[in-house]
Amino acid sequence: MTLLSVEGLTRRFGGLVAVNDVSFTVSEGEILSVIGPNGAGKSTLFKLIGSFLPPSAGRVLFEGAVVSGLKPNQVARKGIVRTFQETTVFKEMTALQNVVVAHQLGVTASPLGTFFSSAAARADERRFRDSAAEILDYLGLGHVKDVEARNLPHGYLRALGIAIALAARPRLLLLDEPFAGMNPEETDRAVAMVEGIRKRGVTVLLVEHDMRAVMRISDRIVVISFGSKIAEGSPEAVRADPAVVEAYLGKDDETIGH
Ligand SMILES: Nc1ncnc2c1ncn2[C@@H]1O[C@H](COP(=O)(O)OP(=O)(O)OP(=O)(O)O)[C@@H](O)[C@H]1O
Ligand SMILES: [Mg+2]
């Protein structure tokens, strides 16, 4: 079943076409990666899908309904949730508190912000704590749940960002460079984590430069270069595609297929 359809999506910034007539679909349960050289338009594409930016042309459909034009929180409530290239956590709070707060922020849109006063709110708080603890457990962060975010190593901090996103109960999780800055061991753990997320029924759309991880984790890959889609297919097909190799030529740090 098609969960997400991107149709002719275009975004201009003045004279620059950051995303140029990009179309693709994401099936339910799939891990699909979007790759491309620096500045190709990947993060802009994510912002368009999450409605953090309006498209100049084209549209995004989620479960067959147009979501372009909705506000980011409305899109999130429909189940499209994105992490940011740099996730913000509350440094003075523990990992668990951060994920509890993420649950609470998810309900601030509900009428009457009497969150901390009523009995119902206290019940919510317990429910949120249980849910937050469960998310941290299955991401392999259970043992650091009481550690303040500022004391967490980089890899754990990134994983905490994903835990925060999962608090919103996404159907489609958009991850922008989740493995950036991770050492190989942290990356292995994070790859397993993303596979675990998919096993729990969350579809994953990933932007990532770490080709080893992308090739390992993706069911399909969409390649964009200078805003336009230049290839799409299985990791094997994309890796062997001359247009993709060409787009990556001259990039010392991003050689494809190793
Ligand atoms: N708000 C903005 N205003 C003007 N130009 C922008 C804006 N956001 C992005 N751009 C430009 O659009 C192009 C695509 O940027 P984008 O951040 O989407 O690339 P990217 O593929 O995510 O790159 P990276 O791999 O480095 O994260 C770049 O040329 C960038 O400078
Ligand atoms: Mg980016």
Side-chain angles (χ1 to χ4, degrees):
M1 191 200 104
T2 298
L3 189 63
L4 182 85
S5 302
V6 170
E7 297 184 351
L9 215 49
T10 298
R11 172 67 202 200
R12 296 185 196 90
F13 294 113
L16 174 82
V17 190
V19 175
N20 189 7
D21 194 21
V22 170
S23 301
F24 62 90
T25 61
V26 184
S27 301
E28 180 138 45
E30 195 172 30
I31 299 179
L32 185 134
S33 295
V34 177
I35 66 168
N38 290 112
K42 305 177 298 293
S43 293
T44 304
L45 180 65
F46 266 26
K47 287 172 196 161
L48 296 171
I49 293 170
S51 260
F52 290 87
L53 270 178
S56 306
R59 58 183 197 164
V60 177
L61 290 88
F62 190 64
E63 298 187 294
V66 176
V67 293
S68 311
L70 297 181
K71 292 188 167 57
N73 66 324
Q74 294 173 312
V75 171
R77 235 172 294 141
K78 289 197 181 294
I80 304 179
V81 174
R82 101 177 228 262
T83 61
F84 293 80
Q85 216 164 344
E86 281 309 322
T87 299
T88 338
V89 300
F90 297 106
K91 300 252 184 234
E92 314 294 317
M93 290 185 182
T94 67
L96 183 70
Q97 285 165 342
N98 266 286
V99 185
V100 169
V101 166
H103 281 81
Q104 290 168 341
L105 291 175
V107 298
T108 49
S110 67
L112 307 175
T114 55
F115 199 75
F116 296 97
S117 52
S118 70
R122 281 194 299 277
D124 273 349
E125 178 121 40
R126 271 194 302 278
R127 198 157 48 80
F128 292 163
R129 278 186 74 86
D130 290 348
S131 169
E134 196 231 333
I135 289 171
L136 290 173
D137 270 345
Y138 91 78
L139 292 183
L141 294 173
H143 63 295
V144 295
K145 71 176 168 32
D146 296 321
V147 176
E148 286 179 17
R150 62 179 169 181
N151 294 326
L152 287 174
H154 177 78
Y156 282 95
L157 214 46
R158 301 302 303 251
L160 180 57
I162 294 175
I164 287 168
L166 288 173
R169 298 276 160 211
R171 310 252 337 262
L172 175 68
L173 183 63
L174 310 183
L175 299 173
D176 197 347
E177 302 198 24
F179 313 135
M182 288 188 176
N183 64 38
E185 194 192 319
E186 288 173 328
T187 303
D188 283 349
R189 220 179 306 133
V191 163
M193 196 174 81
V194 172
E195 282 164 346
I197 290 168
R198 183 256 291 275
K199 273 207 196 84
R200 295 176 65 104
V202 180
T203 304
V204 178
L205 186 55
L206 184 80
V207 162
E208 185 50 58
H209 283 294
D210 182 335
M211 286 307 151
R212 203 176 63 93
V214 164
M215 292 296 161
R216 199 145 46 108
I217 203 175
S218 309
D219 298 312
R220 276 190 311 133
I221 298 175
V222 166
V223 189
I224 61 173
S225 179
F226 295 108
S228 298
K229 185 173 90 174
I230 60 165
E232 174 177 6
S234 67
E236 298 72 28
V238 157
R239 186 202 305 236
D241 190 319
V244 178
V245 176
E246 174 73 24
Y248 277 88
L249 276 185
K251 297 246 162 199
D252 297 338
D253 57 339
E254 289 175 39
T255 46
I256 197 163
H258 62 104

